[in-house]
Amino acid sequence: MTNIIKDLTKSNLKLLKQEILNNNLVIFPTETVYGIGANALKEDAVNKIFEVKERAKNNPLIVHLKDKKEIEKYAIIENIIEKKLIDAFMPGPFTIILKKKGIIPNSVTANMDSVGIRIPNNKIAHEFLEYIDLPIAAPSANISSRPSGTCVADIYQEFDGLVNFIIDGGHSKIGLESTVVKVINNIPTILRPGYITYENIKDLIGTCQIASGVLNKLDNNTKVESPGMLYKHYAPQTKCLLVYSEDFNKLKELILKNQTNKTIILGSDKLQDISCYKFIFYGNKLEEISHNIFSLLRLADTYQGDLIIIEGVKKEGLGLAIMNRLLRTSSFNYIEK
Ligand code: TXA
Ligand code: MG
């Protein structure tokens, strides 16, 4: 049975630490999404993450640390650009890929010579990491290919009986995973967009590039910087179609043309009057959409429609991260007019 921890009292922290020291998994909140964590220094513990999540072994995990001072125990900061990014965006919804030190087991990094480092900016995550005082490897708390876990009700459904402890931190504030960045030939390269945007990074460093997999489908033989981009991801069970147009009439036309008998529409206010089987409001601002999207995709499945038509957004600012996820949600079943 899975226990839901509501408060990080001293006795609960002790229980959680013991659980981690026993090489078991603990699900914990962060400001982006929930993570399913294990002691990053123990192969046995890390292997359990891959098993429970049904995750491909060649998809590396992010290592979560309590503060910046810890970074150089596990990784090497090789240049001033990496240093600047760390100073500006950590702690926060940002993961930096650095050259790894030998202390990090190869199973964490899927035999890559780099490691993703993240310092969450969330009170509960911080208290947990500080008390545990170990690096915690943690992917998002969802079975592979499913939408990431952003609230305990969703996570409990998937992981009840598979982990002993979930720490409840309410609905994740941001709702999309961290921005993953690697500095390649002195250019910060976004491997996965997130709340820290292309624009934020460009303003800081003067240059920034977006890896080709962010908005494009990659075939499984492509050599990519970030293996996570290869897999089916963020997907509900119901088939999805992503549609986008800056022009409302064209958008409406696209929706009407593609409607089925039981179409669920997931979108903003402006679509609420289109007649359909079920309309789900996802917010009007990018922050709201980001916050709500993963739990609403799960909700959409419960209505048992035959198609979810999702309204796309402009690929700018946080919109880039939203579209990166929704393109995968819909298996690149995407129309833009
Ligand atoms: O917000 C987040 O980042 C959440 C919370 C729990 O911190 N974590 C998360 O982890 O989203 P995960 O495992 O679901 O996604 C990690 C992504 C994957 O796409 C993976 O391929 C990439 O980061 N990644 C991890 N280590 C890497 C490395 N050394 N080089 C390139 N990509 C890496
Ligand atoms: Mg994930």
Side-chain angles (χ1 to χ4, degrees), residues 33 88 100 136 153 187 200 210 215 218 233 283 295 320 326 336:
V33 300
K100 102 180 191 37
I136 297 291
I187 305 174
N200 296 151
I210 299 171
L215 293 175
L218 300 169
H233 217 158
S295 55
L320 182 70
L326 290 179
E336 180 177 328

Side-chain angles (χ1 to χ4, degrees), residues 33 53 55 59 139-142 146 148 177 192 233-234:
V33 300
K53 240 191 98 105
R55 182 178 176 106
N59 193 4
S140 51
N142 54 277
R146 306 272 298 134
S148 303
E177 307 85 342
R192 180 180 70 187
H233 217 158
Y234 319 116

